[in-house]
Amino acid sequence: MIFPASFEQKLGFDSIRKLLLGYCLGPLGRENVNLLASSTSFEEIGKNLSETAEMRHILEFEEHFPAQDYYDMVPALLSVSIPGTYLETDQLAELRLSLTTIVNLYEFLSGREEKYPCLRQLARTWTTSPMPDSDFSNLPIFLSSGHLISAIGRIMDDKSDIRDSASPDLQRIRKEKIAKQASVERKVIQSFKMARQSGWVPEDAEITLRNGRLVIPMISTHKRKVQGFVHDESATGHTVYVEPVEIFETNNEIRELEYDERREIVKILVEFATLVRPDIDLLVHAYRFLGKIDFIRAKARLAVDTHGRRPMGVDVEHSATASGKPGGSPVRHLLWRSALHPLLYLSHTRQNKPVVPLDITLNDEQRILIISGPNAGGKSVCLKTVGLLQYMYQCGLLPPVKEDSEFRVFENIFIDIGDEQSIDNDLSTYTSKLHNLKYFIENSGENTLFLIDELGTGTDPSLGGAIAEATLEALNAKHACGVVTTHYSNLKLLASREPGIANGAMLFDLKRLKPLYKLISGNPGSSFALEIAREIGFPEEVLDEAQKKTGKSQLDFDRELQNLEVEKGEVEKKSTELRVADDFLGELISKYQKLTADLETSKKEILANARREAKDILDNSNRLIEKTIREIKEAQAEKTKTKEIRANLLEEKQRLIPGDPDLNPPAPQVQTISINSSENRPVRHAYAGFLADLQAKHEGFRLTLDLRGKRVDEALSILQRYIDDAILLSMSEVRILHGKGNGVLRQVTRDYLHSQKEVKSARDENLEQGGAGITIVNFK
């Protein structure tokens, strides 16, 4: 039950409906939008949300989804149910185009059954004949067989004109008509040339058409020079348009042929209507499917623009078992994360303004939330956000919340927002509110959500506050859920003694006297009436007097309570930052310890290798020296032979010790870094630079890499560098966004990842988050 009748207008859902109407591609989709209503069936809501979530994925990641020619042919089809009636050629053209769209939709979903099971089931349901004894038990088979689309193609060309070959009589008629038209054209040209040579035609005049016939423009004073029929004259009367007598009869024959042509076309159309007539009900059923798809697509477009997501829910079997009734929801709480008002989000996005998200919780311990705070601080927006998102959810629209949010299904949603005074019924604002509260109390139960803005206002504050307090106690006793905004202190105190009722506050920055639009639960908020009045320049002496009357203790309490919440938020923010920094520092220390150990191991290996190489060089040198001495002795100190032996010794020495300065020219000086002493300055400076580079690389690293639109070679190069950085920075998981398209980028990405031993796994993202268009990479 939805209350009051102006429910949608008060919450702004009428604007949501207008957006949906604008997203539709055809009248059948708009018809579904106009019929959109909330449901209390958990099963129906879940099915609608799943269909919309799948369609959103299609819009974001798929290509070639049929999105044109969503014509409504239902009235035209129903109009030919009577024998002898027929579709006009323009209707026939739209029928062919829209039937083609239906076939393409079915084929699109048929090839993606695992990815879009709900939409595939929808297609199967709506394209199965509603008539068990129909000649065609399945619409796609009927359509793909060419029974209708091919039949239309045989009688109509791509320009939506009836083909000459549609019937033998039509072909004969058109052939004869063309021949006579050619004859008429030749005779008119001859008559025009003669008239022009005789000076009877106005300068720059040409043959033209009047009443569908070729005529010659002639100067009115010469109109009798050519025998014929005058069809028209110019506005000045200077020119008349004459049909020569020699073509008059032929033109009459052409006109008769045109009548024959039209009669033959009607005959062809009647025959086609006779072909269609037995399956009109089947076709109407198919067009309902087309309208349903258009409607779901519009809902998905809204979700894309407002960041609507499918929240968590309970499967249908579980819900039926837990609740004891089919379609009922066992969820007894409402838990929303980062909820946004969709209309406010769209408005602020156009103005490049941020929107502060809301976290809302209603459960058995906190069934009723009393929100207090300053005027223009966001209380009413918070209230409307709760009502609008809950209504959207039960209408099958994806609400703009985080995916881990949880919704429950309410059988009743009641709101009291705005002014309901009526001159006709002699109702004041307060009287109308009392009527609403009376209705709430009489009709509420545990499956009721009520929303009341400025509860208790409109009458004497003490009496209004008392009635408001008693009303909340009565609604709480019925275990109804609700959100209430107020400035009354007695309602703020009610939460401290009434189980099931909790306080909430809209935060206010006292230093800048600016609302923060952030809702916090647990404590009441202050109205900050004096502070706001002082900010707008209200007379100071009046405010001082008001402060004396109010009492300093109350003002100090409100102020300190507010400051405490603001400071608490700042402390939590700093705590988060410190925790992140601590985790980052821990990771760096771990990596640096590993790096030091690796360097120590490398140092030992290098020294051991150096010792082995030095020993080999010394052994080889000793053998070379002994050989050289022996050869010199054998040569008996012959100068030429000794010189040759020494040259051989020098060449062999250069091979063994290529870095010897006596054998090679000086090389450019290269600064080396020693790893043997912790007191060595170059080591400390180089290590500090490395740490700085590593920290900069960590700060600039993004957990998602977008490769869409890149060439394969370019994408592979970027991917290689990105994976190297991820391994260096010890990332546990990253996301590669490559899209779907023809799958080339996805295949290249997967092949490279599988070749890397540091990669633990590479898998598709969840369907709601991108599916096969995104690869999740986990590292060892």
Side-chain angles (χ1 to χ4, degrees):
M1 184 185 303
I2 302 299
F3 179 87
S6 56
F7 179 94
E8 292 192 0
Q9 291 73 26
K10 287 183 173 294
L11 282 182
F13 190 81
D14 56 335
S15 297
I16 296 291
R17 200 183 291 271
K18 288 179 182 178
L19 288 174
L20 290 173
L21 289 171
Y23 291 137
C24 288
L25 299 171
L28 288 169
R30 290 188 283 272
E31 179 182 321
N32 279 273
V33 171
N34 290 326
L35 295 174
L36 177 63
S38 66
S39 171
T40 58
S41 166
F42 186 81
E43 180 179 4
E44 181 182 359
I45 293 170
K47 179 176 71 70
N48 292 335
L49 292 174
S50 296
E51 291 170 351
T52 307
E54 290 179 3
M55 183 63 76
R56 171 177 178 155
H57 189 276
I58 289 174
L59 296 182
E60 289 186 305
F61 299 103
E62 295 281 6
E63 296 179 351
H64 311 302
F65 180 79
Q68 60 183 11
D69 301 325
Y70 280 62
Y71 299 111
D72 178 10
M73 300 308 299
V74 173
L77 289 169
L78 294 177
S79 70
V80 297
S81 59
I82 302 173
T85 56
Y86 58 89
L87 298 174
E88 294 291 349
T89 53
D90 58 338
Q91 293 176 318
L92 195 63
E94 291 180 354
L95 179 65
R96 176 170 60 176
L97 292 172
S98 52
L99 286 178
T100 302
T101 297
I102 294 174
V103 172
N104 291 339
L105 283 171
Y106 187 87
E107 291 177 348
F108 180 92
L109 296 174
S110 296
R112 297 166 173 83
E113 186 165 4
E114 292 185 359
K115 294 169 64 176
Y116 310 117
C118 294
L119 290 177
R120 178 69 178 96
Q121 180 59 35
L122 178 74
R124 185 180 291 112
T125 300
W126 280 90
T127 54
T128 301
S129 172
M131 302 162 292
D133 57 346
S134 172
D135 293 336
F136 305 100
S137 61
N138 187 279
L139 182 60
I141 297 175
F142 163 69
L143 290 177
S144 60
S145 68
H147 185 70
L148 273 186
I149 297 177
S150 297
I152 297 174
R154 286 193 296 271
I155 64 176
M156 177 173 281
D157 59 23
D158 294 337
K159 296 180 180 180
S160 300
D161 294 325
I162 300 299
R163 298 180 184 275
D164 294 349
S165 58
S167 76
D169 287 342
L170 182 62
Q171 191 168 28
R172 174 187 55 78
I173 291 170
R174 286 182 171 174
K175 184 177 181 179
E176 186 176 349
K177 187 178 73 170
I178 290 172
K180 290 186 180 296
Q181 287 173 337
S183 173
V184 166
E185 187 174 345
R186 288 194 302 271
K187 292 178 182 178
V188 169
I189 291 173
Q190 291 173 359
S191 299
F192 179 74
K193 287 181 179 179
M194 181 198 66
R196 171 171 282 178
Q197 292 171 357
S198 302
W200 302 336
V201 176
E203 188 176 355
D204 297 331
E206 296 293 341
I207 298 172
T208 185
L209 281 172
R210 286 294 186 274
N211 300 324
R213 299 192 177 211
L214 291 174
V215 293
I216 300 173
M218 298 186 64
I219 300 172
S220 58
T221 56
H222 299 297
K223 63 182 179 181
R224 302 298 181 189
K225 301 292 180 63
V226 173
Q227 291 185 349
F229 178 76
V230 177
H231 280 271
D232 198 3
E233 67 178 7
S234 64
T236 61
H238 178 71
T239 303
V240 295
Y241 300 91
V242 179
E243 179 185 10
V245 68
E246 58 266 25
I247 66 169
F248 184 78
E249 188 60 34
T250 307
N251 272 332
N252 286 341
E253 293 173 358
I254 292 174
R255 180 61 59 87
E256 289 295 331
L257 288 172
E258 289 174 347
Y259 293 148
D260 292 343
E261 180 184 22
R262 175 58 187 167
R263 284 190 292 268
E264 185 60 25
I265 289 175
V266 169
K267 178 183 175 183
I268 294 169
L269 296 176
V270 169
E271 291 176 353
F272 178 80
T274 302
L275 176 68
V276 172
R277 193 167 292 116
D279 300 300
I280 287 178
D281 290 340
L282 184 64
L283 291 172
V284 169
H285 201 61
Y287 277 96
R288 298 301 180 201
F289 163 70
L290 183 65
K292 189 74 173 178
I293 288 292
D294 192 12
F295 171 53
I296 296 172
R297 180 185 174 279
K299 294 195 296 181
R301 280 284 310 276
L302 176 69
V304 170
D305 289 350
T306 60
H307 290 284
R309 300 289 181 186
R310 195 198 194 292
M312 291 175 61
V314 180
D315 59 89
V316 175
E317 292 182 3
H318 182 197
S319 67
T321 302
S323 65
K325 58 180 181 179
S329 169
V331 178
R332 305 303 304 169
H333 60 266
L334 183 150
L335 180 63
W336 297 356
R337 303 298 187 198
S338 299
L340 297 173
H341 191 292
L343 300 175
L344 186 65
Y345 172 78
L346 292 176
S347 175
H348 281 209
T349 300
R350 289 191 291 267
Q351 304 173 51
N352 293 321
K353 293 169 57 178
V355 178
V356 180
L358 299 171
D359 291 341
I360 304 291
T361 300
L362 297 178
N363 50 38
D364 288 338
E365 293 74 30
Q366 183 178 298
R367 286 190 300 274
I368 300 175
L369 180 64
I370 300 175
I371 302 176
S372 50
N375 288 325
K379 299 191 304 297
S380 295
V381 172
C382 178
L383 190 79
K384 290 182 178 180
T385 301
V386 174
L388 182 56
L389 266 58
Q390 181 65 38
Y391 192 66
M392 288 176 63
Y393 173 80
Q394 295 193 210
C395 285
L397 300 176
L398 300 180
V401 296
K402 283 190 174 180
E403 291 87 344
D404 59 351
S405 298
E406 297 184 33
F407 282 68
R408 62 174 291 185
V409 177
F410 292 98
E411 294 180 0
N412 304 314
I413 306 179
F414 302 151
I415 63 170
D416 179 23
I417 300 174
D419 190 355
E420 289 287 350
Q421 64 178 334
S422 170
I423 296 177
D424 294 337
N425 296 327
D426 195 25
L427 290 178
S428 67
T429 300
Y430 185 66
T431 304
S432 67
K433 285 183 174 293
L434 287 178
H435 276 285
N436 290 345
L437 296 181
K438 175 176 176 290
Y439 185 89
F440 291 5
I441 294 171
E442 292 175 347
N443 294 279
S444 291
E446 62 178 7
N447 284 322
T448 297
L449 173 67
F450 64 88
L451 308 169
I452 306 174
D453 194 22
E454 300 295 348
L455 177 60
T457 58
T459 187
D460 180 87
S462 59
L463 295 177
I467 293 176
E469 184 175 338
T471 298
L472 288 183
E473 290 174 344
L475 292 171
N476 188 38
K478 293 197 169 192
H479 292 84
C481 294
V483 179
V484 173
T485 67
T486 187
H487 290 284
Y488 285 179
S489 298
N490 67 309
L491 296 184
K492 301 177 187 179
L493 296 174
L494 182 61
S496 63
R497 66 175 189 273
E498 185 76 13
I501 300 180
N503 275 314
M506 303 304 297
L507 291 185
F508 189 80
D509 189 340
L510 274 174
K511 297 178 181 178
R512 294 180 294 173
L513 293 178
K514 179 182 177 182
L516 300 177
Y517 305 108
K518 182 176 178 60
L519 173 67
I520 55 106
S521 298
N523 294 311
S526 172
S527 299
F528 296 104
L530 296 180
E531 289 81 357
I532 295 174
R534 184 170 287 111
E535 176 67 14
I536 68 170
F538 205 79
E540 193 66 33
E541 61 276 11
V542 177
L543 294 178
D544 291 340
E545 188 65 26
Q547 185 167 345
K548 294 177 183 177
K549 294 179 180 294
T550 303
K552 187 174 185 300
S553 60
Q554 176 64 33
L555 295 177
D556 288 343
F557 172 77
D558 286 345
R559 186 178 290 107
E560 291 303 321
L561 182 63
Q562 176 69 28
N563 285 335
L564 179 62
E565 291 299 332
V566 173
E567 291 173 3
K568 177 183 175 183
E570 294 177 354
V571 169
E572 290 177 351
K573 180 180 178 182
K574 289 295 182 183
S575 176
T576 301
E577 293 175 354
L578 289 174
R579 185 169 60 255
V580 172
D582 184 64
D583 292 343
F584 175 65
L585 181 59
E587 291 180 5
L588 284 179
I589 291 174
S590 176
K591 286 196 287 286
Y592 296 155
Q593 289 175 343
K594 183 178 182 299
L595 179 61
T596 302
D598 292 343
L599 286 173
E600 187 65 28
T601 301
S602 299
K603 180 188 73 174
K604 292 178 180 179
E605 292 178 356
I606 291 171
L607 290 176
N609 290 335
R611 292 190 186 98
R612 284 193 299 271
E613 291 178 3
K615 183 177 182 299
D616 291 342
I617 291 174
L618 288 175
D619 291 344
N620 292 333
S621 297
N622 288 334
R623 287 195 294 272
L624 179 63
I625 291 171
E626 291 174 358
K627 178 183 177 184
T628 302
I629 293 172
R630 185 173 62 254
E631 289 178 349
I632 290 175
K633 288 181 177 180
E634 292 175 353
Q636 297 180 351
E638 184 181 340
K639 290 184 178 180
T640 303
K641 186 64 176 177
T642 300
K643 185 177 181 181
E644 180 181 348
I645 292 172
R646 285 180 176 175
N648 291 338
L649 174 63
L650 192 64
E651 180 180 350
E652 188 64 19
K653 183 180 179 182
Q654 183 177 2
R655 184 184 67 80
L656 292 173
I657 314 175
D660 193 330
D662 294 333
L663 303 176
N664 298 286
Q669 294 297 315
V670 179
Q671 183 177 0
T672 60
I673 299 176
S674 173
I675 61 173
N676 299 319
S677 173
S678 61
E679 297 178 357
N680 193 296
R681 288 186 180 274
V683 173
R684 186 164 60 250
H685 290 171
Y687 196 57
F690 170 75
L691 294 182
D693 291 342
L694 192 62
Q695 183 174 0
K697 186 180 291 292
H698 194 284
E699 292 174 352
F701 189 81
R702 299 290 180 267
L703 294 177
T704 298
L705 174 65
D706 191 348
L707 296 178
R708 292 178 298 178
K710 300 290 191 299
R711 301 189 310 275
V712 172
D713 55 346
E714 180 186 9
L716 184 58
S717 176
I718 295 173
L719 177 64
Q720 291 171 343
R721 292 196 298 272
Y722 180 79
I723 295 300
D724 289 343
D725 289 346
I727 295 171
L728 175 64
L729 297 174
S730 299
M731 295 297 170
S732 61
E733 181 179 288
V734 296
R735 303 167 82 246
I736 311 297
L737 177 57
H738 41 65
K740 296 180 179 177
N742 53 21
V744 175
L745 278 182
R746 179 180 183 275
Q747 188 61 45
V748 169
T749 299
R750 291 294 176 88
D751 290 344
Y752 175 74
L753 293 173
H754 291 153
S755 70
Q756 300 301 301
K757 63 181 182 180
E758 294 87 355
V759 174
K760 180 179 181 181
S761 65
R763 57 180 174 81
D764 287 350
E765 175 60 280
N766 294 332
L767 181 62
E768 294 80 3
Q769 300 297 317
I774 298 175
T775 294
I776 303 298
V777 185
N778 293 103
F779 296 96
K780 295 179 181 177

